[in-house]
Amino acid sequence: MYYFLSHLSSMDICFTSSFTPKLIHDLLVKTRTISYGNCMLQVFTMHFFGGIEIFILAAMAFDRYVAICKPLHYMIIMSRSKCNFLVLAAWVGGAAHSFPQLFMVLLLPFCGPNEIDHFFCDIFPLLKVACTDTYITGVLVVANSGMVALVTFVVLVFSYVVILFTLRNHSAEGRRKALSTCASHITVVLLFFVPAIFIYLRPPTTFPEDKVFAVFYTIIAPMFNPLIYTLRNREMKDAMRKVWCQSYFQRKHTINFKKTIS
């Protein structure tokens, strides 16, 4: 699990770094522009690292399925070579998803005014300002991005249905431990996939609410991933509880000391 978590955290950093520095810069200046080359780079990196993250989440679901449903065979099934293969497959899947998206956008002609209603360069806002018929391109984008998100989400849901079905024969303590293990992953999946499916699995158009939904899978989900997975680690929770208790008693002691002096 921690092997996949390390790769997930790396993808979170790369994913958010593809647009956050530019977003922070735009919030501090009045003129918010981006060059054509940087815009195309944003399109590619967003879908490349986002695609890798989607497939790593699927690999983590498979890891949880093996750990809960086949615990005695876990070390054999999830060997280091198998884990490396799943991560490599995630990178290949991200490339297979992002390169067609980039090529479709590169073929679009833009003749101005090139103003998009979004905080980063995404395909649907770019289709809206292209000076050509983009119906076929929009359908291809939905078939690519929308179906990748939907199929992966369905596979994840199915895996957890199988896990819940398997837990019927476990003890109450075993069910509690298994569900606590899966709860963090389910939370991350919902934060990432639900907004992504809403945006990409629909007719190629844009809505003002798209920016709000995009915040969830581009900023909130990567930002909360470390917190969500950290809070399920017993050692980390004990360390945080110890730090909080120490700070509380130190603050209380300082307040009482000031009262005595006054």
Side-chain angles (χ1 to χ4, degrees):
M1 182 182 66
Y2 290 106
Y3 176 78
F4 291 119
L5 277 178
S6 64
H7 286 277
L8 180 66
S9 60
S10 300
M11 290 305 102
D12 282 337
I13 294 173
C14 296
F15 182 59
T16 55
S17 298
S18 61
F19 70 93
T20 340
K22 179 61 179 172
L23 173 62
I24 296 174
H25 174 268
D26 289 342
L27 293 174
L28 299 176
V29 298
K30 293 183 179 180
T31 305
R32 301 166 182 175
T33 60
I34 185 171
S35 66
Y36 177 80
N38 288 335
C39 185
M40 295 301 106
L41 181 63
Q42 271 194 353
V43 171
F44 173 74
T45 53
M46 285 282 297
H47 285 272
F48 179 62
F49 294 118
I52 295 174
E53 186 163 347
I54 284 176
F55 295 122
I56 288 180
L57 288 172
M60 293 174 67
F62 178 71
D63 175 71
R64 293 299 86 203
Y65 163 77
V66 176
I68 295 173
C69 299
K70 301 181 182 296
L72 299 180
H73 300 88
Y74 180 81
M75 297 303 297
I76 299 175
I77 298 176
M78 298 303 296
S79 61
R80 177 50 62 95
S81 59
K82 179 66 69 65
C83 293
N84 291 333
F85 173 77
L86 290 174
V87 172
L88 178 62
W91 279 80
V92 173
H97 163 68
S98 58
F99 276 107
Q101 304 275 64
L102 177 64
F103 291 148
M104 285 187 289
V105 178
L106 288 174
L107 295 176
L108 294 175
F110 299 98
C111 45
N114 298 321
E115 183 177 347
I116 62 174
D117 184 21
H118 218 297
F119 58 89
F120 63 90
C121 285
D122 203 6
I123 296 182
F124 282 166
L126 291 174
L127 292 180
K128 190 175 182 180
V129 299
C131 49
T132 185
D133 185 13
T134 60
Y135 177 77
I136 299 299
T137 305
V139 172
L140 294 175
V141 171
V142 172
N144 188 332
S145 297
M147 293 308 298
V148 165
L150 179 63
V151 171
T152 308
F153 183 70
V154 170
V155 171
L156 292 173
V157 171
F158 178 75
S159 69
Y160 279 108
V161 170
V162 174
I163 289 174
L164 292 175
F165 183 79
T166 306
L167 290 177
R168 294 181 310 142
N169 302 323
H170 288 217
S171 63
E173 181 66 17
R175 287 196 297 267
R176 186 191 64 80
K177 290 183 178 180
L179 292 176
S180 66
T181 302
C182 298
S184 55
H185 188 257
I186 294 174
T187 305
V188 171
V189 166
L190 292 176
L191 284 175
F192 189 91
F193 278 92
V194 173
I197 291 174
F198 172 80
I199 290 178
Y200 292 108
L201 196 66
R202 67 170 194 233
T205 184
T206 58
F207 298 108
E209 295 81 8
D210 287 352
K211 290 181 287 187
V212 178
F213 281 94
V215 167
F216 279 91
Y217 73 88
T218 58
I219 298 177
I220 293 180
M223 181 177 65
F224 276 94
N225 280 354
L227 180 63
I228 292 172
Y229 284 108
T230 296
L231 291 179
R232 68 160 305 276
N233 186 291
R234 178 177 297 177
E235 291 79 7
M236 184 62 69
K237 287 192 290 187
D238 292 340
M240 294 174 64
R241 189 179 297 112
K242 184 178 180 180
V243 171
W244 287 339
C245 291
Q246 287 180 349
S247 62
Y248 171 76
F249 285 116
Q250 288 177 355
R251 187 170 61 252
K252 185 177 181 181
H253 176 73
T254 303
I255 294 174
N256 291 335
F257 178 75
K258 287 183 178 179
K259 287 182 179 179
T260 304
I261 294 298
S262 60

